[in-house]
Amino acid sequence: MVQLAILTDLSRCFGCNACMMACKEWHSSGCYGPMTDLNPWGPEPGKSPWSVFFLRVLHVELGEYPNTKTFSVPISCFHCRNPACTTVCPTGAIFKRKEDGVVVINYDVCIGCRYCENACPYGNITFDPVEGVAKKCVMAIDRVYDESLPEYERVPPCVRNCPAGARIFGDMDDPNSIIYREARRRGAVPLGPEYGTDPPSLYVMPGTPVNVAGRDYQWPSMTKEEEFAVRTGAADVPNVLSKLNGVKPTGGHCGGGVGGPTGQGT
């Protein structure tokens, strides 16, 4: 089994919003777009600006003035192992892909009831009133499976464009993967474990002690592409793709993969 996920190191993230903008740019077209904007520069009388985003950056302040600290938390769909959204969908339009664990939405089947939006305890699903369907982060699987891209580029845009190297992509169910080893080494934790959704995408909290000093990378012997691939987790993409031989991106406007009444893909 493969469970694609993203590990975010909050001690590295400095809230530049590059991940959010890269996600918006990539998903504004193609089979998972468009990410609709209504009056983005508004407001008009009686209206407010409104946009679809698959990823948002929260800014959290801790402590009491003047002894406060602020840190940023990029948040998008966690592709939970027990997703609450799939269990409430009356049509099976939103489902968890058995092959790679990614939760996707088939827009042709979605009726816009917004049950999934209300069921997600993290607020990671958005309703698009233009198309009348629910939309969310899909781990950019159309990019991961895009054979026209070099393997070191086949990671989600939020991972690829982070200037601080705060995000790592990979198979969280593979103990030998970069993302799994880093999560264990850094003591990564899920957000909202009390919800029982078991999200595989984890966070390294600020100030968390490191179990082993330094990543075991041999930087001087690597090319820039190899260094980039290790830093983002893309170095594991060939291994992931070997397990997913023949798998294609589905959901969104990519078509196919309609879920069943329990939210499981077919």
Side-chain angles (χ1 to χ4, degrees):
M1 297 294 292
V2 172
Q3 176 59 69
L4 297 181
I6 293 176
L7 173 68
T8 305
D9 187 344
L10 298 184
S11 64
R12 290 175 176 264
C13 177
F14 51 82
C16 68
N17 291 346
C19 57
M20 185 170 69
M21 294 297 101
C23 173
K24 180 77 171 181
E25 181 180 7
W26 178 258
H27 289 106
S28 290
S29 61
C31 61
Y32 289 105
M35 295 174 70
T36 311
D37 290 322
L38 291 178
N39 189 31
W41 311 111
E44 296 177 1
K47 297 182 180 180
S48 298
W50 183 91
S51 297
V52 172
F53 281 90
F54 289 172
L55 184 153
R56 62 197 190 279
V57 179
L58 308 180
H59 302 282
V60 180
E61 182 176 339
L62 297 178
E64 296 184 3
Y65 179 84
N67 300 312
T68 60
K69 292 184 178 180
T70 301
F71 61 93
S72 302
V73 184
I75 183 171
S76 56
C77 179
F78 299 138
H79 302 277
C80 303
R81 292 186 174 88
N82 300 309
C85 56
T86 63
T87 61
V88 300
C89 179
T91 65
I94 183 169
F95 60 96
K96 185 174 179 68
R97 285 164 50 97
K98 294 179 179 179
E99 302 88 351
D100 51 26
V102 177
V103 178
V104 297
I105 301 175
N106 189 317
Y107 299 158
D108 293 333
V109 179
C110 177
I111 59 176
C113 66
R114 306 179 73 168
Y115 288 176
C116 60
E117 182 184 11
N118 288 301
C120 176
Y122 308 102
N124 285 334
I125 300 179
T126 300
F127 179 71
D128 184 341
V130 175
E131 295 195 33
V133 296
K135 294 184 177 181
K136 57 178 284 301
C137 159
V138 291
M139 198 74 74
I141 57 172
D142 53 331
R143 183 181 178 92
V144 175
Y145 296 115
D146 188 348
E147 296 180 355
S148 68
L149 295 174
E151 288 181 340
Y152 70 88
E153 288 274 5
R154 291 167 73 171
V155 295
C158 62
V159 177
R160 186 244 181 271
N161 285 62
C162 177
R167 310 200 101 191
I168 301 175
F169 168 78
D171 179 9
M172 193 61 85
D173 280 355
D174 182 359
N176 295 316
S177 67
I178 295 172
I179 187 174
Y180 182 92
R181 296 200 312 267
E182 282 297 297
R184 290 294 300 270
R185 188 178 74 89
R186 300 299 305 275
V189 296
L191 292 188
E194 66 274 14
Y195 297 129
T197 54
D198 192 14
S201 291
L202 306 177
Y203 288 83
V204 178
M205 295 300 171
T208 302
V210 180
N211 295 330
V212 179
R215 298 181 182 179
D216 54 352
Y217 303 166
Q218 298 177 359
W219 302 111
S221 64
M222 290 184 177
T223 65
K224 290 183 178 180
E225 291 79 8
E226 290 171 335
E227 177 184 331
F228 179 81
V230 171
R231 176 168 60 85
T232 61
D236 288 333
V237 167
N239 184 41
V240 170
L241 294 177
S242 69
K243 299 177 184 178
L244 300 172
N245 185 32
V247 173
K248 300 295 182 182
T250 59
H253 295 304
C254 294
V258 180
T262 60
Q264 294 298 313
T266 57

